[in-house]
Amino acid sequence: QVQLVESGGGLVQPGGSLRLSCVTSGVVFRAYTMGWFRQAPGEQRELVARISTDGSTYYKSAAKHRFTISRDNAKNTVYLQMTSLGPEDTAVYYCNAASAHFDYWGQGTQVIVSS
């Protein structure tokens, strides 16, 4: 059974930081491209950052220079370090594991940026 379990969300003040984690099980983690997506109320789900099996990364333009995605293949975990958070970052953040043939999602973790 494949599981992706996100954690680390919460309420943070503008300008603050959070680190999201996603622990996976039931997949060969190192064989999957891992991504963080987010969905704000009334909006479509969007890609925030992605890290490939070789460690190469991609960021949504709004996330560049503020967010850092990383992976630890030994722990089957992907991280999203977020800094300089603003109200526009408020959303449910989802972890995604993708390969050529499979696509898995976590349940999401809520991030609220508010004073």
Side-chain angles (χ1 to χ4, degrees), residues 8-20 38 62-63 65-68 80-90 93 111-115:
L11 174 64
V12 62
Q13 291 187 340
S17 300
L18 283 175
R19 188 175 84 151
L20 307 183
R38 68 186 182 188
H65 311 303
R66 296 191 302 128
F67 294 2
T68 303
L80 185 68
Q81 178 69 49
M82 304 187 293
T83 63
S84 301
L85 287 162
E88 67 278 8
D89 297 312
T90 294
Y93 284 70
V111 172
I112 300 173
V113 184
S114 176
S115 55

Side-chain angles (χ1 to χ4, degrees), residues 1-81:
Q1 182 181 0
V2 178
Q3 285 191 312
L4 283 69
V5 181
E6 302 99 332
S7 62
L11 174 64
V12 62
Q13 291 187 340
S17 300
L18 283 175
R19 188 175 84 151
L20 307 183
S21 301
C22 172
V23 180
T24 70
S25 59
V27 297
V28 181
F29 180 78
R30 64 182 181 275
Y32 283 75
T33 291
M34 300 301 298
W36 284 99
F37 290 70
R38 68 186 182 188
Q39 188 167 19
E43 302 290 333
Q44 289 190 336
R45 192 173 297 188
E46 62 176 4
L47 174 65
V48 176
R50 181 177 62 220
I51 184 165
S52 299
T53 55
D54 64 0
S56 58
T57 57
Y58 166 85
Y59 295 93
K60 171 183 171 66
S61 58
K64 282 182 182 178
H65 311 303
R66 296 191 302 128
F67 294 2
T68 303
I69 189 170
S70 61
R71 64 191 297 160
D72 186 336
N73 289 343
K75 295 182 178 180
N76 293 344
T77 302
V78 61
Y79 304 97
L80 185 68
Q81 178 69 49

